[in-house]
Amino acid sequence: MRYRFSTDLRSSDITPEAAFRGRRKFMAGLGAGIGAGIGAGALGGMALPAMAAPDITRLKPNTYEEITTYNNFYEFGTGKEDPSENAGAMKTDPWSVEIAGMVDKPGTYGMDDILKGAEIEDRIYRFRCVEAWSMVIPWNGFQLSHLLNKVGVQPGAKYVSFETAVLPDVMPGVRRNVLEWPYREGLRLDEAMNELTILATGIYDKPIPNQNGAPLRLVVPWKYGFKSIKSIVRISLDDKEPQTSWNMSNPGEYGFYSNVNPNVDHPRWSQATERRIGGGFFAKREETMMFNGYGDEVAGLYSDMDLQKFF
Ligand SMILES: Nc1nc2c(c(=O)[nH]1)N[C@H]1C(S)=C(S)[C@@H](COP(=O)(O)O)O[C@H]1N2
Ligand SMILES: [Mo]
């Protein structure tokens, strides 16, 4: 697997074995005479040198078991184990996605069309839920920008909205009004086009399980998990900010942007720290990082905005 984006690396993600590999690599670099001019470590406290190309394989992912049995997918129930227990009944092949609104080629596309020409990459991302837990997940997927370029975004478009399937026969959750169905989410166009934003099709090189949002699921790693909408059946380009399910249900608690921000608390709990799933009962809570650690890539999108107001 080829992993990308390591700027969020921190000591708790690094396995001892990997730290050894990193150090050995550095020494090899010195021996070859290319060690000069390397700046102070970007790894915050680790004894690791800042190498020219940080090795993302040092991010220690959660286990497949953790990633696929501790889920939020309210269409299948609000308990963390409900999705893995119930989502198996959803049929994801064939699957089609309607692409609508301000695009040159609107239409209903099958998964083959969606995937045609897409470069499937491996990306280990830190994933931070608004409920203050986190995981590290090795996704397989492709950049959302690829699909949007393929259908041709028209000049006036400023936002992208997404909707999840509503399948009452197999989704016990949609028979109750916990949220407005379909589950909907949205991004500003520049957020959607950012290199970090992917449509995931797999986890650990296996097809993405239903409980994680098969067959096509958004991942926006610098935003709270609920922005990463699952089992997408509709994508629309618009000139106005779209409505989103969580914002509709409680606008005081869930804003449109929902960037991970340790300085803006949820009205009912702190966002300053998080609990890593799988860390065990005695594991120390970790400090939440601004933009979930992806500030180098995305802070510029918000440079002129008050993030206390646009939370
Ligand atoms: N359609 C849909 N998408 C959804 C949700 C949901 O309830 N329905 N939950 C969101 C929330 S709150 C989180 S934290 C993530 C969880 O993703 P995971 O189960 O793959 O970890 O999915 C997001 N996408
Ligand atoms: Mo979440």
Side-chain angles (χ1 to χ4, degrees):
M1 291 176 94
R2 185 166 63 86
Y3 295 112
R4 295 180 60 191
F5 299 105
S6 58
T7 49
D8 60 338
L9 210 60
R10 57 183 162 188
S11 56
S12 56
D13 296 323
I14 299 171
T15 61
E17 177 238 351
F20 170 72
R21 274 209 314 274
R23 205 168 291 126
R24 199 173 49 180
K25 201 162 168 180
F26 178 69
M27 281 157 58
L30 272 183
I34 54 166
I38 293 173
L43 299 178
M46 277 298 291
L48 281 171
M51 290 170 294
D55 180 2
I56 191 78
T57 59
R58 286 176 305 178
L59 268 174
K60 189 176 143 213
N62 280 83
T63 64
Y64 187 78
E65 171 81 11
E66 287 158 356
I67 295 167
T68 59
T69 59
Y70 189 93
N71 301 102
N72 274 337
F73 198 164
Y74 277 17
E75 287 86 334
F76 292 101
T78 52
K80 297 288 180 254
E81 293 179 3
D82 291 341
S84 54
E85 280 167 15
N86 299 330
M90 176 170 63
K91 208 168 163 265
T92 61
D93 181 19
W95 191 269
S96 55
V97 181
E98 182 196 352
I99 304 186
M102 303 172 79
V103 292
D104 295 334
K105 295 175 220 158
T108 299
Y109 295 90
M111 279 304 284
D112 288 352
D113 297 326
I114 299 280
L115 295 174
K116 193 176 263 167
E119 187 198 347
I120 304 288
E121 298 176 48
D122 309 316
R123 300 201 184 181
I124 287 198
Y125 281 158
R126 178 188 315 290
F127 185 81
R128 171 62 156 79
C129 176
V130 73
E131 300 166 277
W133 52 264
S134 65
M135 294 198 197
V136 173
I137 305 182
W139 302 102
N140 316 108
F142 60 92
Q143 283 181 209
L144 172 61
S145 65
H146 170 86
L147 179 62
L148 296 181
N149 289 334
K150 209 160 70 170
V151 295
V153 176
Q154 295 183 341
K158 292 194 179 72
Y159 294 91
V160 189
S161 65
F162 305 84
E163 287 179 17
T164 296
V166 183
L167 307 167
D169 289 350
V170 293
M171 293 174 163
V174 304
R175 295 172 214 146
R176 292 182 294 134
N177 295 327
V178 238
L179 285 174
E180 291 253 10
W181 315 111
Y183 191 102
R184 45 198 113 177
E185 258 310 332
L187 297 172
R188 216 169 56 191
L189 186 59
D190 56 353
E191 299 175 323
M193 297 303 279
N194 188 275
E195 236 199 313
L196 292 178
T197 305
I198 59 167
L199 286 168
T201 55
I203 290 174
Y204 271 114
D205 280 343
K206 297 184 185 50
I208 189 167
N210 288 0
Q211 59 267 36
N212 295 88
L216 196 67
R217 175 249 171 90
L218 184 70
V219 183
V220 194
W222 72 95
K223 292 178 180 280
Y224 291 120
F226 65 85
K227 298 297 283 186
S228 292
I229 183 172
K230 298 178 169 182
S231 304
I232 296 166
V233 291
R234 188 168 194 274
I235 298 175
S236 176
L237 279 287
D238 304 287
D239 56 1
K240 287 179 199 65
E241 189 180 286
Q243 289 203 300
T244 65
S245 290
W246 283 100
N247 181 250
M248 288 160 87
S249 83
N250 198 334
E253 299 191 357
Y254 308 104
F256 176 77
Y257 284 92
S258 295
N259 293 314
V260 175
N261 188 340
N263 308 315
V264 178
D265 286 336
H266 184 281
R268 290 183 282 130
W269 60 82
S270 164
Q271 293 292 15
T273 64
E274 64 201 58
R275 178 176 64 89
R276 173 69 58 86
I277 298 304
F281 188 75
F282 296 103
K284 219 170 138 267
R285 292 183 72 85
E286 298 178 12
E287 278 180 28
T288 288
M289 298 163 90
M290 188 66 204
F291 297 118
N292 204 24
Y294 300 95
D296 284 354
E297 285 92 350
V298 302
L301 297 172
Y302 312 103
S303 48
D304 57 350
M305 286 173 65
D306 177 354
L307 295 181
Q308 305 275 335
K309 191 166 162 226
F310 296 97
F311 60 89

